[in-house]
Amino acid sequence: MKRNIKTIAVAVIALVSTAFYAHADSKPFKELNSKEVVMNYVGASLLGNSEYTKEMFADNFEYSNTANNDKFGKKDYVNYLNSVKDLKYNSTQTIEILDQVGSTTISKVTMDFGSFKRVDYITLIQSAEGWKINKVVTTYP
């Protein structure tokens, strides 16, 4: 089961990346729905796929970690994701869209590393450039 989830996630991320590559001159997130943007986030944060990280986040993006009260803006978080490029974490993940009303979506990504879990609550907003991640709050239940 774990292997199937990983295989499906990698296949979808590869498909999305291929679609982005084919339309390199266009806005890469313009045609994606909110779940596809969240899947791209998972690809960047867990699977080391750092393509289009800058375009994935809104200009006023904020990341916060409740375990240590760290907060970062778009530039710092994109630099972090680029620094872990090609680093793949051994975890299983589930993606849930908790609520979608109008131009706002709240989703939950649960990452199970075996000895601990990490949960990211992701807020997305829809703009003229497509769905963008506005905020990520990380917790460790």
Side-chain angles (χ1 to χ4, degrees):
M1 180 71 177
K2 289 182 183 181
R3 182 171 285 246
N4 289 341
I5 292 173
K6 287 181 185 178
T7 303
I8 291 169
V10 169
V12 169
I13 290 167
L15 179 66
V16 170
S17 296
T18 303
F20 287 159
Y21 182 74
H23 303 288
D25 295 334
S26 65
K27 304 261 186 232
F29 285 83
K30 180 94 171 150
E31 302 299 322
L32 298 181
N33 64 38
S34 58
K35 187 166 187 174
E36 291 169 326
V37 174
V38 172
M39 291 176 75
N40 193 69
Y41 170 79
V42 170
S45 61
L46 288 175
L47 303 174
N49 182 3
S50 65
E51 282 191 86
Y52 303 109
T53 52
K54 187 174 182 182
E55 294 84 359
M56 178 174 28
F57 299 109
D59 289 337
N60 62 344
F61 170 77
E62 180 183 294
Y63 171 84
S64 62
N65 184 327
T66 61
N68 56 15
N69 294 323
D70 281 348
K71 292 186 187 236
F72 299 101
K74 178 180 179 177
K75 182 179 176 182
D76 291 329
Y77 199 67
V78 168
N79 287 341
Y80 164 73
L81 289 176
N82 288 332
S83 75
V84 295
K85 181 180 180 178
D86 298 325
L87 180 63
K88 294 175 179 48
Y89 291 99
N90 186 17
S91 72
T92 58
Q93 60 275 342
T94 58
I95 299 171
E96 300 174 66
I97 301 298
L98 299 177
D99 195 15
Q100 183 166 338
V101 178
S103 60
T104 304
T105 298
I106 299 173
S107 62
K108 175 182 175 183
V109 177
T110 304
M111 297 159 253
D112 188 347
F113 292 90
S115 59
F116 71 96
K117 287 185 180 184
R118 170 183 162 175
V119 178
D120 285 355
Y121 292 96
I122 304 167
T123 304
L124 296 96
I125 55 169
Q126 190 173 31
S127 68
E129 296 175 348
W131 287 98
K132 300 275 187 171
I133 297 174
N134 187 42
K135 187 173 189 171
V136 174
V137 178
T138 297
T139 63
Y140 297 91

